Amino acid sequence: MHRSKTKLVLVTSLALSLMGAPSAFPQLSAEARRGLWHAQWITSQAGPQRDDVVLHFRKVFEVSQVPEHFVVHVSADNRFILRLNRQEVGRGPALSDLANWKYETYDLAAFLHPGRNELAATVWNFGPLSQLAQISDRTAFVLAGDTDSQRIVDTDATWEVEEDKGLVALP
């Protein structure tokens, strides 16, 4: 009798905690929740996926005129520095776990100029050392434009990636 009562209490507690558990959806834009992001998580096919690595991503694109707003959503597994035309835009993401992944949102308009623009990100994952602060899956980067015209910078096969073998985590 005592055993079944304990089991009932545990099952009830679990059910109540799951009902009140926050969803990952509130952290995502409405478009992402509907599965409409066209951007893809990208990485180096030749580099380590889960071990220590620093990757540099680059995308060159053109705009005929600077728009009033140019909003992008950015994340990495597990940390990034984003630059546009050699000026730092931001760093992130906030600490996450696989069920509640965070991303940062930036308006790039102030960093753009008519003509050729270069968007770059340095992404790093120090393997097991990084796992102490953030639950990680594998080293990757994603950047999604907010509107159709801003999707020219979405991460896909048009981005260049290079592994930086000169930077390593200290033992």
Side-chain angles (χ1 to χ4, degrees):
M1 177 90 166
H2 182 271
R3 189 175 203 185
S4 65
K5 188 174 183 179
T6 303
K7 193 175 189 180
L8 177 64
V9 168
L10 287 173
V11 169
T12 304
S13 296
L14 177 62
L16 289 173
S17 67
L18 289 175
M19 287 174 41
S23 165
F25 288 146
Q27 301 166 32
L28 300 174
S29 68
E31 186 175 69
R33 287 194 306 269
R34 291 192 309 268
L36 299 178
W37 272 16
H38 297 275
Q40 305 162 14
W41 283 90
I42 58 174
T43 192
S44 168
Q45 297 305 317
Q49 300 296 303
R50 292 184 169 92
D51 295 327
D52 303 358
V53 69
V54 176
L55 300 175
H56 298 287
F57 294 90
R58 179 177 173 263
K59 168 86 174 191
V60 175
F61 65 101
E62 292 194 22
V63 293
S64 56
Q65 62 184 28
V66 175
E68 186 175 341
H69 296 286
F70 197 99
V71 177
V72 296
H73 309 288
V74 187
S75 194
D77 189 346
N78 57 38
R79 304 290 295 157
F80 71 84
I81 300 173
L82 183 68
R83 293 180 178 86
L84 179 56
N85 296 322
R86 299 182 187 217
Q87 293 184 306
E88 186 174 318
V89 174
R91 298 169 180 244
L95 295 179
S96 308
D97 63 61
L98 296 177
N100 300 285
W101 203 261
K102 307 279 197 278
Y103 66 91
E104 307 298 329
T105 298
Y106 302 107
D107 188 341
L108 303 180
F111 300 93
L112 288 169
H113 49 73
R116 183 182 185 274
N117 291 271
E118 182 179 300
L119 195 51
T122 299
V123 172
W124 66 93
N125 183 349
F126 291 136
L129 293 176
S130 294
Q131 305 261 336
L132 298 174
Q134 176 162 319
I135 297 172
S136 176
D137 182 36
R138 67 192 65 173
T139 308
F141 174 65
V142 65
L143 184 142
D146 205 40
T147 66
D148 285 340
S149 63
Q150 296 159 0
R151 286 193 184 117
I152 61 171
V153 295
D154 279 6
T155 46
D156 59 18
T158 64
W159 280 71
E160 299 171 19
V161 60
E162 179 178 77
E163 182 179 347
D164 188 336
K165 295 184 186 233
L167 297 172
V168 294
L170 294 175

